[in-house]
mmCIF file of all heavy atoms in Angstrom:
data_model
loop_
_atom_site.group_PDB
_atom_site.id
_atom_site.type_symbol
_atom_site.label_atom_id
_atom_site.label_comp_id
_atom_site.label_asym_id
_atom_site.label_seq_id
_atom_site.Cartn_x
_atom_site.Cartn_y
_atom_site.Cartn_z
ATOM 1 N N GLU B 1 -0.599 -0.205 8.903
ATOM 2 C CA GLU B 1 -0.286 -1.511 9.063
ATOM 3 C C GLU B 1 -1.325 -2.433 8.424
ATOM 4 O O GLU B 1 -1.058 -3.630 8.273
ATOM 5 C CB GLU B 1 -0.030 -1.905 10.623
ATOM 6 C CG GLU B 1 -1.285 -1.411 11.513
ATOM 7 C CD GLU B 1 -0.987 -0.203 12.167
ATOM 8 O OE1 GLU B 1 -0.234 0.701 11.534
ATOM 9 O OE2 GLU B 1 -1.520 0.203 13.209
ATOM 10 N N SER B 2 -2.497 -1.964 8.172
ATOM 11 C CA SER B 2 -3.583 -2.779 7.599
ATOM 12 C C SER B 2 -3.117 -3.210 6.197
ATOM 13 O O SER B 2 -3.783 -4.077 5.595
ATOM 14 C CB SER B 2 -4.904 -2.009 7.548
ATOM 15 O OG SER B 2 -5.302 -1.938 8.911
ATOM 16 N N ALA B 3 -2.262 -2.460 5.586
ATOM 17 C CA ALA B 3 -1.734 -2.796 4.131
ATOM 18 C C ALA B 3 -0.702 -3.883 4.124
ATOM 19 O O ALA B 3 -0.449 -4.404 3.049
ATOM 20 C CB ALA B 3 -1.302 -1.551 3.507
ATOM 21 N N VAL B 4 -0.223 -4.336 5.406
ATOM 22 C CA VAL B 4 0.825 -5.284 5.265
ATOM 23 C C VAL B 4 0.512 -6.379 6.433
ATOM 24 O O VAL B 4 1.425 -7.092 7.031
ATOM 25 C CB VAL B 4 2.195 -4.640 5.658
ATOM 26 C CG1 VAL B 4 2.810 -3.807 4.521
ATOM 27 C CG2 VAL B 4 2.200 -3.845 7.104
ATOM 28 N N ASP B 5 -0.819 -6.614 6.669
ATOM 29 C CA ASP B 5 -1.273 -7.611 7.597
ATOM 30 C C ASP B 5 -1.638 -8.953 6.986
ATOM 31 O O ASP B 5 -2.107 -9.921 7.685
ATOM 32 C CB ASP B 5 -2.372 -7.078 8.535
ATOM 33 C CG ASP B 5 -3.638 -6.764 7.622
ATOM 34 O OD1 ASP B 5 -3.594 -6.898 6.365
ATOM 35 O OD2 ASP B 5 -4.739 -6.280 8.266
ATOM 36 N N GLY B 6 -1.630 -9.083 5.666
ATOM 37 C CA GLY B 6 -1.874 -10.284 4.964
ATOM 38 C C GLY B 6 -3.389 -10.455 4.847
ATOM 39 O O GLY B 6 -3.758 -11.554 4.384
ATOM 40 N N ASP B 7 -4.206 -9.606 5.250
ATOM 41 C CA ASP B 7 -5.649 -9.718 5.260
ATOM 42 C C ASP B 7 -6.243 -8.776 4.192
ATOM 43 O O ASP B 7 -6.252 -7.599 4.351
ATOM 44 C CB ASP B 7 -6.213 -9.447 6.597
ATOM 45 C CG ASP B 7 -7.643 -9.667 6.610
ATOM 46 O OD1 ASP B 7 -8.355 -9.862 5.616
ATOM 47 O OD2 ASP B 7 -8.318 -9.616 7.801
ATOM 48 N N PRO B 8 -6.748 -9.289 3.051
ATOM 49 C CA PRO B 8 -7.283 -8.604 1.968
ATOM 50 C C PRO B 8 -8.583 -7.735 2.378
ATOM 51 O O PRO B 8 -9.031 -6.817 1.619
ATOM 52 C CB PRO B 8 -7.459 -9.490 0.736
ATOM 53 C CG PRO B 8 -7.726 -10.755 1.406
ATOM 54 C CD PRO B 8 -6.844 -10.745 2.619
ATOM 55 N N THR B 9 -9.214 -8.162 3.480
ATOM 56 C CA THR B 9 -10.421 -7.479 3.952
ATOM 57 C C THR B 9 -10.190 -6.181 4.607
ATOM 58 O O THR B 9 -11.070 -5.370 4.881
ATOM 59 C CB THR B 9 -11.308 -8.465 4.797
ATOM 60 O OG1 THR B 9 -10.532 -8.550 6.125
ATOM 61 C CG2 THR B 9 -11.505 -9.730 4.296
ATOM 62 N N THR B 10 -8.725 -5.867 5.023
ATOM 63 C CA THR B 10 -8.542 -4.778 5.641
ATOM 64 C C THR B 10 -7.768 -3.799 4.645
ATOM 65 O O THR B 10 -7.263 -4.315 3.665
ATOM 66 C CB THR B 10 -7.725 -4.874 6.918
ATOM 67 O OG1 THR B 10 -6.424 -5.482 6.494
ATOM 68 C CG2 THR B 10 -8.412 -5.858 7.890
ATOM 69 N N GLN B 11 -7.545 -2.502 4.964
ATOM 70 C CA GLN B 11 -6.826 -1.698 3.994
ATOM 71 C C GLN B 11 -6.252 -0.522 4.811
ATOM 72 O O GLN B 11 -6.769 -0.073 5.880
ATOM 73 C CB GLN B 11 -7.712 -1.303 2.977
ATOM 74 C CG GLN B 11 -8.933 -0.321 3.343
ATOM 75 C CD GLN B 11 -9.839 -0.049 2.252
ATOM 76 O OE1 GLN B 11 -10.229 -0.872 1.418
ATOM 77 N NE2 GLN B 11 -10.312 1.247 2.221
ATOM 78 N N TRP B 12 -5.197 0.146 4.174
ATOM 79 C CA TRP B 12 -4.770 1.413 4.648
ATOM 80 C C TRP B 12 -5.659 2.411 3.842
ATOM 81 O O TRP B 12 -5.653 2.284 2.633
ATOM 82 C CB TRP B 12 -3.267 1.666 4.372
ATOM 83 C CG TRP B 12 -2.896 3.122 4.406
ATOM 84 C CD1 TRP B 12 -2.962 3.885 5.494
ATOM 85 C CD2 TRP B 12 -2.451 3.882 3.309
ATOM 86 N NE1 TRP B 12 -2.583 5.199 5.161
ATOM 87 C CE2 TRP B 12 -2.216 5.171 3.855
ATOM 88 C CE3 TRP B 12 -2.213 3.580 2.028
ATOM 89 C CZ2 TRP B 12 -1.793 6.140 3.001
ATOM 90 C CZ3 TRP B 12 -1.699 4.549 1.119
ATOM 91 C CH2 TRP B 12 -1.620 5.862 1.590
ATOM 92 N N GLY B 13 -6.079 3.443 4.583
ATOM 93 C CA GLY B 13 -6.732 4.512 3.822
ATOM 94 C C GLY B 13 -6.285 5.861 4.193
ATOM 95 O O GLY B 13 -6.322 6.178 5.440
ATOM 96 N N ALA B 14 -5.720 6.686 3.404
ATOM 97 C CA ALA B 14 -5.205 7.991 3.684
ATOM 98 C C ALA B 14 -6.342 8.970 4.152
ATOM 99 O O ALA B 14 -6.028 9.876 4.883
ATOM 100 C CB ALA B 14 -4.529 8.618 2.425
ATOM 101 N N GLY B 15 -7.492 8.718 3.614
ATOM 102 C CA GLY B 15 -8.585 9.653 4.007
ATOM 103 C C GLY B 15 -8.485 10.956 3.283
ATOM 104 O O GLY B 15 -8.981 11.943 3.720
ATOM 105 N N ALA B 16 -7.644 10.908 2.237
ATOM 106 C CA ALA B 16 -7.437 12.194 1.542
ATOM 107 C C ALA B 16 -7.020 11.931 0.035
ATOM 108 O O ALA B 16 -6.748 10.833 -0.237
ATOM 109 C CB ALA B 16 -6.244 13.104 2.194
ATOM 110 N N GLU B 17 -7.166 12.930 -0.725
ATOM 111 C CA GLU B 17 -6.748 12.777 -2.072
ATOM 112 C C GLU B 17 -5.226 12.884 -2.265
ATOM 113 O O GLU B 17 -4.565 13.174 -1.467
ATOM 114 C CB GLU B 17 -7.486 13.923 -2.964
ATOM 115 C CG GLU B 17 -8.969 13.877 -2.809
ATOM 116 C CD GLU B 17 -9.692 15.016 -3.611
ATOM 117 O OE1 GLU B 17 -8.946 16.083 -3.894
ATOM 118 O OE2 GLU B 17 -10.862 15.009 -3.846
ATOM 119 N N PRO B 18 -4.765 12.547 -3.510
ATOM 120 C CA PRO B 18 -3.310 12.625 -3.819
ATOM 121 C C PRO B 18 -2.878 14.072 -3.600
ATOM 122 O O PRO B 18 -3.587 14.956 -3.810
ATOM 123 C CB PRO B 18 -3.243 12.023 -5.267
ATOM 124 C CG PRO B 18 -4.449 11.340 -5.437
ATOM 125 C CD PRO B 18 -5.487 12.095 -4.708
ATOM 126 N N THR B 19 -1.561 14.265 -3.402
ATOM 127 C CA THR B 19 -0.472 13.224 -3.280
ATOM 128 C C THR B 19 -0.461 12.657 -1.835
ATOM 129 O O THR B 19 -0.489 13.449 -0.812
ATOM 130 C CB THR B 19 0.827 13.868 -3.680
ATOM 131 O OG1 THR B 19 0.769 14.293 -4.922
ATOM 132 C CG2 THR B 19 1.954 12.919 -3.433
ATOM 133 N N GLN B 20 -0.351 11.268 -1.739
ATOM 134 C CA GLN B 20 -0.240 10.601 -0.512
ATOM 135 C C GLN B 20 0.782 9.413 -0.599
ATOM 136 O O GLN B 20 0.937 8.940 -1.631
ATOM 137 C CB GLN B 20 -1.594 10.144 -0.002
ATOM 138 C CG GLN B 20 -2.689 11.044 0.048
ATOM 139 C CD GLN B 20 -2.381 12.093 1.253
ATOM 140 O OE1 GLN B 20 -1.728 11.666 2.317
ATOM 141 N NE2 GLN B 20 -3.015 13.220 1.161
ATOM 142 N N TRP B 21 1.435 9.078 0.428
ATOM 143 C CA TRP B 21 2.461 7.973 0.441
ATOM 144 C C TRP B 21 2.265 6.935 1.584
ATOM 145 O O TRP B 21 1.848 7.356 2.587
ATOM 146 C CB TRP B 21 3.854 8.465 0.286
ATOM 147 C CG TRP B 21 4.205 9.462 1.369
ATOM 148 C CD1 TRP B 21 4.192 10.717 1.411
ATOM 149 C CD2 TRP B 21 4.752 9.148 2.793
ATOM 150 N NE1 TRP B 21 4.685 11.344 2.495
ATOM 151 C CE2 TRP B 21 4.970 10.331 3.546
ATOM 152 C CE3 TRP B 21 4.911 7.836 3.490
ATOM 153 C CZ2 TRP B 21 5.383 10.339 4.806
ATOM 154 C CZ3 TRP B 21 5.350 7.978 4.757
ATOM 155 C CH2 TRP B 21 5.538 9.114 5.318
ATOM 156 N N ILE B 22 2.751 5.720 1.312
ATOM 157 C CA ILE B 22 2.878 4.830 2.394
ATOM 158 C C ILE B 22 4.258 4.180 2.408
ATOM 159 O O ILE B 22 4.764 3.963 1.220
ATOM 160 C CB ILE B 22 1.904 3.672 2.336
ATOM 161 C CG1 ILE B 22 2.104 2.613 3.532
ATOM 162 C CG2 ILE B 22 1.847 2.891 1.046
ATOM 163 C CD1 ILE B 22 0.844 1.610 3.768
ATOM 164 N N GLU B 23 4.915 4.098 3.524
ATOM 165 C CA GLU B 23 6.376 3.504 3.489
ATOM 166 C C GLU B 23 6.459 2.328 4.350
ATOM 167 O O GLU B 23 5.882 2.230 5.410
ATOM 168 C CB GLU B 23 7.133 4.787 4.099
ATOM 169 C CG GLU B 23 8.763 4.462 3.884
ATOM 170 C CD GLU B 23 9.414 5.701 4.257
ATOM 171 O OE1 GLU B 23 9.779 5.924 5.466
ATOM 172 O OE2 GLU B 23 9.801 6.491 3.336
ATOM 173 N N ILE B 24 7.307 1.407 3.862
ATOM 174 C CA ILE B 24 7.279 0.113 4.578
ATOM 175 C C ILE B 24 8.728 -0.158 4.839
ATOM 176 O O ILE B 24 9.599 -0.117 3.852
ATOM 177 C CB ILE B 24 6.739 -1.080 3.737
ATOM 178 C CG1 ILE B 24 5.292 -0.827 3.362
ATOM 179 C CG2 ILE B 24 6.978 -2.424 4.373
ATOM 180 C CD1 ILE B 24 4.674 -1.631 2.249
ATOM 181 N N ASP B 25 9.182 -0.408 5.994
ATOM 182 C CA ASP B 25 10.540 -0.546 6.560
ATOM 183 C C ASP B 25 10.776 -2.075 6.680
ATOM 184 O O ASP B 25 10.017 -2.703 7.604
ATOM 185 C CB ASP B 25 10.692 0.222 7.726
ATOM 186 C CG ASP B 25 12.303 0.191 8.214
ATOM 187 O OD1 ASP B 25 13.003 -0.691 7.803
ATOM 188 O OD2 ASP B 25 12.779 1.208 8.923
ATOM 189 N N LEU B 26 11.503 -2.762 5.967
ATOM 190 C CA LEU B 26 11.846 -4.115 6.044
ATOM 191 C C LEU B 26 12.619 -4.557 7.139
ATOM 192 O O LEU B 26 12.948 -5.789 7.449
ATOM 193 C CB LEU B 26 12.209 -4.729 4.752
ATOM 194 C CG LEU B 26 11.489 -4.458 3.520
ATOM 195 C CD1 LEU B 26 12.180 -5.003 2.287
ATOM 196 C CD2 LEU B 26 10.085 -5.097 3.594
ATOM 197 N N GLY B 27 13.121 -3.563 7.967
ATOM 198 C CA GLY B 27 14.004 -3.843 9.040
ATOM 199 C C GLY B 27 15.568 -3.982 8.841
ATOM 200 O O GLY B 27 16.356 -3.538 9.709
ATOM 201 N N GLU B 28 15.891 -4.299 7.555
ATOM 202 C CA GLU B 28 17.245 -4.405 7.144
ATOM 203 C C GLU B 28 17.218 -4.608 5.592
ATOM 204 O O GLU B 28 16.098 -4.909 4.998
ATOM 205 C CB GLU B 28 17.907 -5.719 7.789
ATOM 206 C CG GLU B 28 17.363 -6.999 7.417
ATOM 207 C CD GLU B 28 18.016 -8.135 8.052
ATOM 208 O OE1 GLU B 28 18.967 -7.979 8.846
ATOM 209 O OE2 GLU B 28 17.584 -9.351 7.837
ATOM 210 N N SER B 29 18.311 -4.327 4.983
ATOM 211 C CA SER B 29 18.300 -4.447 3.500
ATOM 212 C C SER B 29 18.120 -5.918 3.050
ATOM 213 O O SER B 29 18.793 -6.829 3.578
ATOM 214 C CB SER B 29 19.719 -4.002 2.997
ATOM 215 O OG SER B 29 19.841 -2.587 3.159
ATOM 216 N N LYS B 30 17.171 -6.104 2.147
ATOM 217 C CA LYS B 30 16.828 -7.407 1.708
ATOM 218 C C LYS B 30 16.717 -7.385 0.110
ATOM 219 O O LYS B 30 16.300 -6.376 -0.425
ATOM 220 C CB LYS B 30 15.480 -8.013 2.239
ATOM 221 C CG LYS B 30 15.624 -8.047 3.811
ATOM 222 C CD LYS B 30 14.285 -8.572 4.409
ATOM 223 C CE LYS B 30 14.397 -8.744 5.917
ATOM 224 N NZ LYS B 30 13.161 -9.195 6.525
ATOM 225 N N GLU B 31 16.892 -8.476 -0.513
ATOM 226 C CA GLU B 31 16.856 -8.560 -1.998
ATOM 227 C C GLU B 31 15.259 -8.591 -2.233
ATOM 228 O O GLU B 31 14.499 -9.459 -1.773
ATOM 229 C CB GLU B 31 17.581 -9.646 -2.565
ATOM 230 C CG GLU B 31 17.508 -9.701 -4.074
ATOM 231 C CD GLU B 31 18.401 -10.733 -4.752
ATOM 232 O OE1 GLU B 31 19.109 -11.415 -3.982
ATOM 233 O OE2 GLU B 31 18.409 -10.897 -5.969
ATOM 234 N N ILE B 32 14.876 -7.793 -3.198
ATOM 235 C CA ILE B 32 13.381 -7.761 -3.616
ATOM 236 C C ILE B 32 13.249 -8.363 -4.947
ATOM 237 O O ILE B 32 13.932 -7.894 -5.939
ATOM 238 C CB ILE B 32 12.928 -6.288 -3.579
ATOM 239 C CG1 ILE B 32 13.049 -5.898 -2.085
ATOM 240 C CG2 ILE B 32 11.592 -6.163 -4.111
ATOM 241 C CD1 ILE B 32 12.757 -4.285 -2.031
ATOM 242 N N GLY B 33 12.304 -9.354 -5.047
ATOM 243 C CA GLY B 33 12.194 -9.999 -6.418
ATOM 244 C C GLY B 33 10.766 -9.460 -7.161
ATOM 245 O O GLY B 33 10.785 -9.593 -8.351
ATOM 246 N N GLU B 34 9.862 -9.170 -6.300
ATOM 247 C CA GLU B 34 8.576 -8.640 -6.886
ATOM 248 C C GLU B 34 7.724 -7.996 -5.875
ATOM 249 O O GLU B 34 7.848 -8.170 -4.687
ATOM 250 C CB GLU B 34 7.731 -9.982 -7.360
ATOM 251 C CG GLU B 34 6.313 -9.647 -8.046
ATOM 252 C CD GLU B 34 5.632 -10.846 -8.381
ATOM 253 O OE1 GLU B 34 5.775 -11.895 -7.877
ATOM 254 O OE2 GLU B 34 4.678 -10.819 -9.233
ATOM 255 N N MET B 35 6.919 -7.017 -6.300
ATOM 256 C CA MET B 35 5.972 -6.248 -5.541
ATOM 257 C C MET B 35 4.594 -6.491 -6.109
ATOM 258 O O MET B 35 4.419 -6.367 -7.322
ATOM 259 C CB MET B 35 6.350 -4.901 -5.429
ATOM 260 C CG MET B 35 7.602 -4.607 -4.609
ATOM 261 S SD MET B 35 7.982 -2.773 -4.414
ATOM 262 C CE MET B 35 6.404 -2.413 -3.521
ATOM 263 N N LEU B 36 3.631 -6.737 -5.220
ATOM 264 C CA LEU B 36 2.218 -6.850 -5.673
ATOM 265 C C LEU B 36 1.376 -5.886 -4.754
ATOM 266 O O LEU B 36 1.416 -5.935 -3.616
ATOM 267 C CB LEU B 36 1.620 -8.343 -5.448
ATOM 268 C CG LEU B 36 2.348 -9.452 -6.165
ATOM 269 C CD1 LEU B 36 1.882 -10.895 -5.731
ATOM 270 C CD2 LEU B 36 1.964 -9.213 -7.650
ATOM 271 N N LEU B 37 0.577 -4.972 -5.493
ATOM 272 C CA LEU B 37 -0.123 -3.967 -4.769
ATOM 273 C C LEU B 37 -1.598 -4.050 -5.137
ATOM 274 O O LEU B 37 -1.960 -4.048 -6.297
ATOM 275 C CB LEU B 37 0.331 -2.609 -5.274
ATOM 276 C CG LEU B 37 1.767 -2.116 -4.854
ATOM 277 C CD1 LEU B 37 2.838 -2.759 -5.809
ATOM 278 C CD2 LEU B 37 1.912 -0.598 -4.834
ATOM 279 N N THR B 38 -2.383 -4.469 -4.065
ATOM 280 C CA THR B 38 -3.804 -4.707 -4.343
ATOM 281 C C THR B 38 -4.538 -3.424 -4.137
ATOM 282 O O THR B 38 -4.527 -2.795 -3.073
ATOM 283 C CB THR B 38 -4.312 -5.791 -3.392
ATOM 284 O OG1 THR B 38 -3.564 -7.015 -3.470
ATOM 285 C CG2 THR B 38 -5.830 -6.024 -3.639
ATOM 286 N N VAL B 39 -5.364 -2.970 -5.217
ATOM 287 C CA VAL B 39 -5.909 -1.639 -5.235
ATOM 288 C C VAL B 39 -7.137 -1.634 -4.324
ATOM 289 O O VAL B 39 -7.974 -2.581 -4.396
ATOM 290 C CB VAL B 39 -6.139 -1.354 -6.766
ATOM 291 C CG1 VAL B 39 -7.050 -0.095 -6.698
ATOM 292 C CG2 VAL B 39 -5.045 -1.262 -7.482
ATOM 293 N N ALA B 40 -7.285 -0.553 -3.550
ATOM 294 C CA ALA B 40 -8.533 -0.184 -2.920
ATOM 295 C C ALA B 40 -8.852 1.222 -3.433
ATOM 296 O O ALA B 40 -8.282 2.163 -3.230
ATOM 297 C CB ALA B 40 -8.340 -0.083 -1.387
ATOM 298 N N GLN B 41 -9.933 1.279 -4.258
ATOM 299 C CA GLN B 41 -10.200 2.422 -5.016
ATOM 300 C C GLN B 41 -11.787 2.629 -5.424
ATOM 301 O O GLN B 41 -12.250 1.640 -5.880
ATOM 302 C CB GLN B 41 -9.403 2.499 -6.275
ATOM 303 C CG GLN B 41 -9.580 3.718 -7.247
ATOM 304 C CD GLN B 41 -8.702 3.595 -8.446
ATOM 305 O OE1 GLN B 41 -7.733 3.067 -8.477
ATOM 306 N NE2 GLN B 41 -9.183 4.181 -9.595
ATOM 307 N N PHE B 42 -12.278 3.751 -5.192
ATOM 308 C CA PHE B 42 -13.619 4.027 -5.703
ATOM 309 C C PHE B 42 -13.825 5.512 -5.890
ATOM 310 O O PHE B 42 -13.525 6.294 -4.962
ATOM 311 C CB PHE B 42 -14.741 3.477 -4.781
ATOM 312 C CG PHE B 42 -16.146 3.696 -5.365
ATOM 313 C CD1 PHE B 42 -16.629 2.868 -6.301
ATOM 314 C CD2 PHE B 42 -16.851 4.841 -4.907
ATOM 315 C CE1 PHE B 42 -17.915 3.218 -6.794
ATOM 316 C CE2 PHE B 42 -18.121 5.097 -5.531
ATOM 317 C CZ PHE B 42 -18.617 4.209 -6.456
ATOM 318 N N PRO B 43 -14.168 6.038 -7.147
ATOM 319 C CA PRO B 43 -14.439 5.209 -8.316
ATOM 320 C C PRO B 43 -13.193 4.820 -9.062
ATOM 321 O O PRO B 43 -12.071 5.150 -8.675
ATOM 322 C CB PRO B 43 -15.272 6.222 -9.150
ATOM 323 C CG PRO B 43 -14.600 7.522 -8.680
ATOM 324 C CD PRO B 43 -14.284 7.475 -7.224
ATOM 325 N N ALA B 44 -13.434 3.965 -10.148
ATOM 326 C CA ALA B 44 -12.319 3.547 -10.989
ATOM 327 C C ALA B 44 -11.865 4.678 -11.779
ATOM 328 O O ALA B 44 -12.616 5.757 -11.935
ATOM 329 C CB ALA B 44 -12.866 2.386 -11.777
ATOM 330 N N GLY B 45 -10.670 4.564 -12.317
ATOM 331 C CA GLY B 45 -10.145 5.629 -13.117
ATOM 332 C C GLY B 45 -8.636 5.601 -13.288
ATOM 333 O O GLY B 45 -8.009 4.702 -12.686
ATOM 334 N N ILE B 46 -8.101 6.542 -13.942
ATOM 335 C CA ILE B 46 -6.602 6.610 -14.224
ATOM 336 C C ILE B 46 -5.959 6.934 -12.804
ATOM 337 O O ILE B 46 -6.160 7.969 -12.145
ATOM 338 C CB ILE B 46 -6.274 7.623 -15.250
ATOM 339 C CG1 ILE B 46 -6.941 7.275 -16.573
ATOM 340 C CG2 ILE B 46 -4.715 7.728 -15.361
ATOM 341 C CD1 ILE B 46 -6.384 6.005 -17.186
ATOM 342 N N THR B 47 -4.878 6.213 -12.547
ATOM 343 C CA THR B 47 -4.107 6.529 -11.319
ATOM 344 C C THR B 47 -2.643 6.477 -11.729
ATOM 345 O O THR B 47 -2.162 5.756 -12.679
ATOM 346 C CB THR B 47 -4.342 5.495 -10.235
ATOM 347 O OG1 THR B 47 -4.032 4.164 -10.785
ATOM 348 C CG2 THR B 47 -5.671 5.459 -9.714
#
C-alpha cells in the first residue's frame, strides 16, 4: 500500500530479487489513460 499512498517518501519493497510483482485492484473496471511508475532502486542498472 506504500506504493499507492501518494507519498514519494514511502515505498513498497519486496525485500527480494526478481521475479517479483505488485498488483493494484481499482475496485471496478475503469478507463486508463496513463501510468507513472516512480523507481526505487539501488544500484542503478538495466531493469
Side-chain angles (χ1 to χ4, degrees):
E1 53 264 30
S2 294
V4 291
D5 63 358
D7 185 351
T9 67
T10 63
Q11 64 186 42
W12 163 65
E17 298 176 344
T19 296
Q20 303 292 333
W21 54 264
I22 182 171
E23 191 170 88
I24 300 164
D25 189 337
L26 302 180
E28 60 183 4
S29 289
K30 297 180 180 180
E31 187 173 354
I32 295 170
E34 180 184 20
M35 291 184 60
L36 297 172
L37 293 79
T38 303
V39 174
Q41 177 184 332
F42 183 83
I46 300 295
T47 56

